[in-house]
Amino acid sequence: MKYFLGLDIGSVNAKLALIDESGNTVHKGIEKISSSPLSAVNSLVAGLSNSYDLNDIVSAGVSGCGDTIIPEELSWSVFTSPFAIAAGVLHYHPEAKTIIQIGGQTSMVISLDDGLNKPWRVSSNPLCAAGTGKFIEQQAYRLGISIDEFSRLGMEYEGAAPRIAARCSVFAKSDLIHLQQKGVPLPAMIKGLSDSIARMVVSLHKGLLAEPVYFIGGVAGNASVKQALEEAISAGPGRKMGIIVPEDYLFLEAVGCALLSKTSGRESRVVSLTESGGRKEHLVLPGLSKNEGGNTWYQKPVDTPFTGYLGVDVGSTSTKAVIMDEAGLTVVAKYYTMT
C-alpha cells in the first residue's frame, strides 16, 4: 500500500495527516509546540512509525509558518496555507464557497468560485495575532476561566453584549477592566469578545459571504465564536446564514498537503529530523564589556517642595514613572509596577 503524508506546522500546534491511494485519511496526529516545532514534528513522526512503515510513504507535503524545518534533501513539497486549506476542504466538501480559518495566530477568509479550477481570493489578518486563538487564550486567562468555560459562558448570554476592541490585546484588556469595574456579568463580557472577534474576521472580506460557509482551525471548536460569526454574517433584514464546522476541522490543512503531494508526482523521504537537519543560521555577537561602575543611583528623600517634571509610561504589562528636576538632567524619583 502506498501512502501520502501532509504536515501543517502552525504557531501553536503541528498537525499530521496520512492518506492512502484512494484519498482516505488513515492516520491523524496533533502535537502542541512547546520546546520547538522540530520536537513536535519528530513526536508526530514517531507516533506514525508505530503503525506504518515510513518507507511506504511515497510523497509528503508541508505548510504553515514552520515549514522551513523540513530539510530540502528530503524533497518534500511546500504549499501555502490557503492552497492546502482549500484543497483539504474541497476534497470532502466540493460545494464549499467560503472558508473561514482561525488558528493560533492567524485568521483568513477564502472565497471560492469554482473549487480550485478558478483563482480564489484570500483575505487575511495583519501580522498581529489579535482576534485569533492566542488572543482568546490571553483574555480567558485574564478573566480566570478556561477555554471550555469561555465557549460555554458565551453561549449562555442572551441580549446585547458590550463592545470590546479585538484588534489589539492591550485595548481589549483595558475594555475588560472597565467592564469589570462597572460590574458587567462575565458571560456578557465573553459574548462581547466573541462578537468583536467575529466582526473583525468578517471585515476581512468585502461584501457578502457566499454560502455554504465552512469554519476550520482551532477556534472552530469554540461554540461562542461560531455563534457570533453566524450572527455577524447574517446581519441585515431577512438574512439567516449558517456556518458549517466539518468533522476534521483541525486537520484539513494537513489533509490538503497530503492530497497535493499525491498529485505532485514528487518522491519524498520521511525520517526523524535531527537538530542539524533544519535550515538554521547562527550569528555570534561580540561579548559585553564589564561595567565597573555598578548602579550608583539611589533615591534621595524629598522633604521640600520643588519644581520638576513627571513622565509616565503605561505599557501592556508594566507601568514606569520618573520625576526629573527642573533642568531635566537629574532623576529625582522613579517607580515601577505591574499595570
Side-chain angles (χ1 to χ4, degrees), residues 101 147 160 270 295 322 330:
Q101 186 267 356
I147 295 298
V270 179
N295 183 12
V322 298
T330 303

Side-chain angles (χ1 to χ4, degrees), residues 4 19-23 59 257-266:
F4 308 88
I19 66 172
D20 60 18
E21 294 176 274
S22 300
S59 63
C257 286
L259 292 166
L260 293 172
S261 74
K262 179 176 182 291
T263 59
S264 69
R266 187 174 185 177

Side-chain angles (χ1 to χ4, degrees), residues 65-270:
C65 60
D67 58 15
T68 57
I69 71 168
I70 305 297
E72 291 182 356
E73 55 267 24
L74 296 183
S75 193
W76 286 39
S77 298
V78 180
F79 305 105
T80 64
S81 287
F83 190 21
I85 289 170
V89 172
L90 290 170
H91 178 66
Y92 296 108
H93 311 283
E95 74 284 359
K97 293 296 183 182
T98 303
I99 303 170
I100 297 175
Q101 186 267 356
I102 308 180
Q105 293 187 5
T106 60
S107 60
M108 67 180 73
V109 178
I110 304 173
S111 301
L112 304 162
D113 290 327
D114 184 21
L116 297 179
N117 298 322
K118 289 185 178 180
W120 57 92
R121 297 178 300 279
V122 181
S123 305
S124 59
N125 66 326
L127 295 178
C128 179
T132 61
K134 275 294 185 183
F135 172 85
I136 294 176
E137 285 184 358
Q138 289 174 351
Q139 309 316 316
Y141 174 78
R142 287 168 177 167
L143 294 171
I145 59 175
S146 66
I147 295 298
D148 290 339
E149 289 174 315
F150 186 105
S151 178
R152 176 179 58 80
L153 291 171
M155 293 291 291
E156 290 178 358
Y157 186 77
E158 297 180 359
R163 292 185 72 90
I164 299 174
R167 290 192 177 275
C168 177
S169 180
V170 178
F171 296 159
K173 179 181 178 181
S174 298
D175 288 346
L176 290 175
I177 290 173
H178 292 315
L179 293 172
Q180 287 174 318
Q181 291 172 340
K182 293 179 180 179
V184 174
L186 183 58
M189 290 189 283
I190 301 300
K191 183 64 166 63
L193 280 168
S194 301
D195 290 346
S196 299
I197 294 168
R199 286 194 300 269
M200 190 185 72
V201 173
V202 172
S203 70
L204 297 176
H205 177 84
K206 295 182 179 179
L208 301 177
L209 299 180
E211 293 185 280
V213 181
Y214 284 85
F215 184 21
I216 71 164
V219 180
N222 192 302
S224 180
V225 175
K226 175 182 179 291
Q227 182 186 65
L229 277 171
E230 288 181 326
E231 294 171 355
I233 67 175
S234 299
R239 294 185 63 211
K240 181 62 177 177
M241 297 177 65
I243 289 178
I244 302 167
V245 177
E247 181 179 355
D248 285 339
Y249 63 90
L250 275 174
F251 298 94
L252 288 179
E253 184 172 344
V255 170
C257 286
L259 292 166
L260 293 172
S261 74
K262 179 176 182 291
T263 59
S264 69
R266 187 174 185 177
E267 293 186 0
S268 310
R269 289 192 301 121
V270 179

Side-chain angles (χ1 to χ4, degrees), residues 168 170-171 173-174 177-178 310-322 335-339:
C168 177
V170 178
F171 296 159
K173 179 181 178 181
S174 298
I177 290 173
H178 292 315
L310 170 68
V312 182
D313 168 20
V314 183
S316 60
T317 59
S318 61
T319 296
K320 288 75 67 177
V322 298
Y335 187 72
Y336 175 94
T337 187
M338 299 305 293
T339 299

Side-chain angles (χ1 to χ4, degrees), residues 27-95:
H27 180 88
K28 296 176 293 186
I30 183 170
E31 188 76 22
K32 188 174 182 62
I33 298 175
S34 300
S35 58
S36 70
L38 188 144
S39 298
V41 170
N42 276 339
S43 179
L44 289 173
V45 172
L48 177 65
S49 64
N50 291 332
S51 304
Y52 296 88
D53 186 345
L54 298 183
N55 293 320
D56 292 336
I57 300 176
V58 177
S59 63
V62 61
S63 68
C65 60
D67 58 15
T68 57
I69 71 168
I70 305 297
E72 291 182 356
E73 55 267 24
L74 296 183
S75 193
W76 286 39
S77 298
V78 180
F79 305 105
T80 64
S81 287
F83 190 21
I85 289 170
V89 172
L90 290 170
H91 178 66
Y92 296 108
H93 311 283
E95 74 284 359

